[in-house]
Amino acid sequence: MTMESDNTQKLRSLTRRAVVHAINDNGAGQTVTLETHAGYPRSIVPVHQQFGLSSCAPLDGAITHVVALGGDEADLLALPPANPSLAHMGGLASGETVLYDAVGQAVYLQDGKFVRVQAATEMMVEIGGVTVLDLTSKLATLNVPLLVNGDIKASKDIVAGTVSVQGHLHDGVQKGSDTTGKPQA
């Protein structure tokens, strides 16, 4: 074997594609059990994940790429596992970004103009461990006081406590410029 051929083989062995058999996301860092060649599994291989983003790919069909650090096959580092067989959110325009999961839920950052959230059944907003907003397709629940600095328009009745805005009665009604009593339920 020539020196050039030997160096080429060494360079080729620095990175490999691997099939992911298990993902452990319970510790300070994620690790994977993988197989780069049939019959040669490796376990507890650390996954390099960027700060501020973490994911755990569905296993069935998951792959990754591994790097032999310093050319040492005993010192592998895996890139974040991907699963090309599931839920790739394509069709994005230039500059758009999407964060998604395996069932199609997504947060789209679109064209620098708006953020679109696609939730399967429910979307919750928490602040300080407290749910302040809970949305489903049937109900929006706001768990904090609401301050509105503009008009409020409603296509249906608004009920405060037991008093309907559209159907309430007043006591003490008089003619002229006199005032009435409080609304009644």
Side-chain angles (χ1 to χ4, degrees), residues 25 28-30 46-56 77-81 97-99 109:
D25 199 41
Q30 191 177 79
V47 174
H48 176 74
Q49 292 189 331
Q50 69 183 41
F51 176 77
L53 177 65
S54 182
S55 66
C56 190
L77 179 70
L79 296 179
T97 301
V98 64
L99 173 68
L109 305 175

Side-chain angles (χ1 to χ4, degrees), residues 141-158:
T141 304
L142 184 63
N143 296 312
V144 294
L146 176 65
L147 173 64
V148 178
N149 290 320
D151 295 339
I152 296 178
K153 296 180 181 181
S155 60
K156 298 198 176 200
D157 192 14
I158 298 171

Side-chain angles (χ1 to χ4, degrees), residues 22-175:
I23 299 175
N24 182 344
D25 199 41
N26 294 327
Q30 191 177 79
T31 62
V32 290
T33 298
L34 51 80
E35 199 167 336
T36 58
H37 297 88
Y40 294 97
R42 297 289 303 272
S43 61
I44 315 174
V45 176
V47 174
H48 176 74
Q49 292 189 331
Q50 69 183 41
F51 176 77
L53 177 65
S54 182
S55 66
C56 190
L59 278 179
D60 188 21
I63 60 170
T64 188
H65 290 81
V66 292
V67 178
L69 299 174
D72 184 358
E73 292 287 323
D75 191 8
L76 295 180
L77 179 70
L79 296 179
N83 193 320
S85 65
L86 291 174
H88 172 72
M89 304 297 249
L92 299 176
S94 177
E96 292 184 345
T97 301
V98 64
L99 173 68
Y100 61 92
D101 68 5
V103 297
Q105 298 185 120
V107 177
Y108 289 89
L109 305 175
Q110 294 182 289
D111 198 24
K113 295 179 183 168
F114 64 95
V115 175
R116 180 168 53 106
V117 176
Q118 212 171 289
T121 57
E122 183 175 17
M123 185 180 87
M124 293 173 45
V125 176
E126 292 183 6
I127 298 176
V130 175
T131 301
V132 296
L133 178 62
D134 190 355
L135 300 171
T136 68
S137 62
K138 305 274 187 216
L139 182 67
T141 304
L142 184 63
N143 296 312
V144 294
L146 176 65
L147 173 64
V148 178
N149 290 320
D151 295 339
I152 296 178
K153 296 180 181 181
S155 60
K156 298 198 176 200
D157 192 14
I158 298 171
V159 178
T162 59
V163 179
S164 161
V165 170
Q166 292 179 346
H168 69 271
L169 302 173
H170 288 265
D171 63 2
V173 176
Q174 298 178 16
K175 294 183 179 187

